[in-house]
Amino acid sequence: MLFACGGEKEVAQTVPDASIYSLVFLDKTQSIHVDKNYVNDKYRQALTDIIESNMKNKGDKLEVYFIHENTSKARALSLTVRSEKDNMDGANATDKEGIETAFQLSLQKEKGIYLRQLLAKMNQQNTGSSSQYTDIWASLPVIAKAGESGSEVKVYYFSDMIESVRGSDRRDFHIKPPKNDSEAEADAKADSKKLDQYAIGSPQVTIVSPFEPTASSKENNPHITHYWQTLFQELGGVSIEEL
């Protein structure tokens, strides 16, 4: 029995983690200025952390979408970890160390290439007319599709989260932002009924805000943050972290 238990434990340790599917939404509208030092430094550090934390095993995936007028059609980058660890079955301690070292070297090289590509996308300017509108709702079908993969989905919005789309059934927070938390909550609950066709599951959602800690509530409206927290909770019980 002891032998059998030990054997099961060995097997459990060698099963790889579920692959991670990271979605990075980079706001490419007029209100985001990545040329400002504070924003550039903060976004660069956050993207570096995402690559380090989420791209660890073969099959881990990262996709970048631009947020603007046509978000759901704006996939800018798709990256997948190719590095693979050699089979360690029957390997002695020295060989295992060599296999691990070779894998880490290959992975770090891959991560370096991916980070350079990510930073290039971060700094890419959008001079087209699509920069005038911010369709964050359109990220929801993208998240739902990622959830179908069976991977652990992690979502990152590099945005001020100011939804701004024309139309009687849409929100334009530039023109009419929520005045308080109760209004934000009511709007989010009403909108969730229009958007619940997208089964987003329970991804981990992080908002990487461009605002400095000294920003006023007029600039960094806390009621807009509350709107998104409520909307995501209504759609999938998702908790949001804001950086």
Side-chain angles (χ1 to χ4, degrees), residues 18-68:
S19 57
I20 297 173
Y21 197 144
S22 306
L23 288 171
V24 172
F25 293 98
L26 294 174
D27 198 326
K28 292 293 177 182
T29 57
Q30 292 172 336
S31 59
I32 301 296
H33 302 285
V34 290
D35 50 342
K36 285 186 177 176
N37 287 342
Y38 173 80
V39 179
N40 201 284
D41 290 348
K42 183 176 182 179
Y43 279 13
R44 176 186 290 269
Q45 185 58 57
L47 290 170
T48 304
D49 291 345
I50 290 166
I51 289 278
E52 275 305 314
S53 304
N54 297 359
M55 305 293 271
K56 295 187 289 192
N57 296 298
K58 186 182 180 187
D60 286 344
K61 190 170 186 175
L62 187 150
E63 288 185 340
V64 175
Y65 283 78
F66 289 161
I67 292 177
H68 49 50

Side-chain angles (χ1 to χ4, degrees), residues 6-240:
E8 283 175 17
K9 192 175 178 186
E10 258 332 287
V11 170
Q13 286 175 341
T14 57
V15 174
D17 296 334
S19 57
I20 297 173
Y21 197 144
S22 306
L23 288 171
V24 172
F25 293 98
L26 294 174
D27 198 326
K28 292 293 177 182
T29 57
Q30 292 172 336
S31 59
I32 301 296
H33 302 285
V34 290
D35 50 342
K36 285 186 177 176
N37 287 342
Y38 173 80
V39 179
N40 201 284
D41 290 348
K42 183 176 182 179
Y43 279 13
R44 176 186 290 269
Q45 185 58 57
L47 290 170
T48 304
D49 291 345
I50 290 166
I51 289 278
E52 275 305 314
S53 304
N54 297 359
M55 305 293 271
K56 295 187 289 192
N57 296 298
K58 186 182 180 187
D60 286 344
K61 190 170 186 175
L62 187 150
E63 288 185 340
V64 175
Y65 283 78
F66 289 161
I67 292 177
H68 49 50
E69 187 185 17
N70 193 17
T71 302
S72 63
K73 299 288 186 187
R75 190 171 78 173
L77 197 60
S78 182
L79 308 168
T80 306
V81 173
R82 309 271 178 217
S83 299
E84 188 171 12
K85 198 183 291 187
D86 289 343
N87 193 331
M88 290 197 187
D89 289 352
N92 62 33
T94 307
D95 290 343
K96 283 180 179 177
E97 196 177 323
I99 289 168
E100 184 62 44
T101 302
F103 170 68
Q104 289 301 332
L105 282 171
S106 172
L107 184 62
Q108 286 307 321
K109 187 178 176 184
E110 230 179 325
K111 282 181 178 180
I113 294 165
Y114 291 166
L115 182 60
R116 283 196 295 278
Q117 290 177 288
L118 257 183
L119 294 175
K121 293 299 178 187
M122 178 190 84
N123 288 311
Q124 188 175 320
Q125 297 295 315
N126 179 15
T127 54
S129 61
S130 65
S131 69
Q132 293 172 24
Y133 298 97
T134 310
D135 191 355
I136 299 170
W137 281 12
S139 65
L140 296 172
V142 177
I143 297 169
K145 190 158 180 22
E148 292 170 8
S149 67
S151 301
E152 181 186 354
V153 179
K154 298 188 178 186
V155 181
Y156 302 87
Y157 290 100
F158 288 72
S159 173
D160 56 15
M161 301 305 282
I162 300 175
E163 178 86 357
S164 177
V165 180
R166 289 172 298 184
S168 57
D169 62 339
R170 296 301 304 260
R171 300 282 168 201
D172 193 333
F173 290 149
H174 279 303
I175 294 170
K176 190 174 181 265
K179 297 187 197 71
N180 50 51
D181 276 356
S182 54
E183 187 179 302
E185 217 162 288
D187 288 350
K189 286 180 176 176
D191 293 344
S192 70
K193 291 178 174 61
K194 303 173 199 169
L195 300 166
D196 64 3
Q197 59 181 298
Y198 305 118
I200 64 167
S202 297
Q204 179 185 311
V205 179
T206 304
I207 296 171
V208 189
S209 157
F211 301 113
E212 297 198 38
T214 52
S216 67
S217 60
K218 187 178 179 185
E219 191 182 1
N220 183 10
N221 185 334
H223 311 309
I224 289 176
T225 304
H226 191 67
Y227 166 87
W228 291 108
Q229 286 170 334
T230 307
L231 183 70
F232 275 107
Q233 279 162 10
E234 291 292 312
L235 292 174
V238 182
S239 61
I240 291 184

